[in-house]
Amino acid sequence: MRLAGARVLVTGASSGIGAATALELSARGARLVLSGRDQEALAGVAARTGGEILPADLSDPSADLAVRAGRVDMLVACAGEGWSGPLARMPGGTAERVIAVNLAAHVQLTRLLLPGMLERGRGHLVYVASIAGVVGVREEAVYAATKAGLLAFAESLRYELPGVGVTAVVPGVVDTPFFARRGRPYTRRRPAPVPPERVARAIAVAVERDRAEVYVPAWLRLPARLHGAAPGAFRVLARRFGRP
Ligand SMILES: NC(=O)c1ccc[n+]([C@@H]2O[C@H](COP(=O)([O-])OP(=O)(O)OC[C@H]3O[C@@H](n4cnc5c(N)ncnc54)[C@H](OP(=O)(O)O)[C@@H]3O)[C@@H](O)[C@H]2O)c1
């Protein structure tokens, strides 16, 4: 899809990958609608992109983001929360919130934005998933499940949408406040976190070239392929090297 002139709704635009993506798309001529909860941070991104601010808490099913957004040519579904720890120790309500924000809100948003895109015969949907949704990660079961859900959602939608592109983004470790916010910082040396701007560039190129799937960094495809081809061997390696 041509980004110049496209009206793009970015969820999670107040921070990290979403903010970097808003800046990247704006540099390529897109008109931004920026959503998140932190209004001051959104105002900062709006000042640099000329974007419109649309605050919303996606854990609240009554957030009528799609209605307030009006015409949207492209959605970047980026808002997300993590939680790390043994499932048996997860506090009540946390799983519900992670599922609501990461998965359910973006399913509903897509459902409501799609009729306009189909009517205009033009649109693009981008879902920021995670390598956790492809291979699973110790002590991130609920988070990984939401990301696997997004990947299956994107993969399935692609079959039914003439004229509307669908891109699933699969980042590894990205240098954003995500880990601090989920309550367990990223302390491993490898894999080294990539800057959010790298994910943002990959998203812009994937949309322009109508790519179905993009891994950032690209080498992450290898563990994903190993997991698909030899899941037993993958699990042995993950048990050995995958401790947080
Ligand atoms: N960082 C990584 O290593 C990594 C790797 C793979 C995938 N991802 C995915 O990338 C996406 C962006 O994460 P990030 O790394 O950029 O983290 P981040 O800097 O913490 O950004 C998360 C964004 O999600 C928004 N958000 C969280 N809860 C929300 C809620 N209830 N309602 C509305 N917005 C909400 C935040 O908005 P407010 O700040 O305004 O609340 C913020 O803009 C997430 O979906 C994450 O799962 C991240």
Side-chain angles (χ1 to χ4, degrees), residues 143-188:
Y143 175 75
T146 63
K147 295 303 185 177
L150 273 186
L151 288 170
F153 185 59
E155 189 67 26
S156 307
L157 272 183
R158 211 171 283 125
Y159 291 115
E160 62 172 274
L161 298 181
V164 175
V166 183
T167 298
V169 185
V170 185
V173 183
V174 188
D175 186 11
T176 73
F178 176 83
F179 297 96
R181 292 174 104 185
R182 76 175 183 181
R184 186 188 274 184
Y186 183 75
T187 51
R188 295 173 56 155

Side-chain angles (χ1 to χ4, degrees), residues 11-18 35-39 42 56-59 77-81 97 101-102 128-131 143 147 171-179 181:
T11 71
S14 50
S15 178
I17 298 170
S35 191
R37 290 171 303 181
D38 182 337
Q39 299 203 28
L42 286 174
D57 183 344
L58 296 180
S59 68
C78 186
E81 296 183 14
R97 200 188 64 245
V101 175
N102 297 8
V128 179
S130 166
I131 189 67
Y143 175 75
K147 295 303 185 177
V173 183
V174 188
D175 186 11
T176 73
F178 176 83
F179 297 96
R181 292 174 104 185

Side-chain angles (χ1 to χ4, degrees), residues 196-217:
E197 291 74 19
R198 187 156 158 197
V199 185
R201 266 194 311 277
I203 290 175
V205 171
V207 171
E208 285 173 342
R209 299 185 186 167
D210 195 17
R211 293 217 169 116
E213 197 176 59
V214 55
Y215 282 72
V216 189

Side-chain angles (χ1 to χ4, degrees), residues 104-129:
H106 290 118
V107 169
Q108 288 305 340
L109 201 47
T110 304
R111 190 178 66 78
L112 295 167
L113 293 176
L114 251 183
M117 291 183 186
L118 290 171
E119 210 173 284
R120 292 187 294 276
R122 177 178 190 248
H124 204 105
L125 301 162
V126 177
Y127 299 96
V128 179

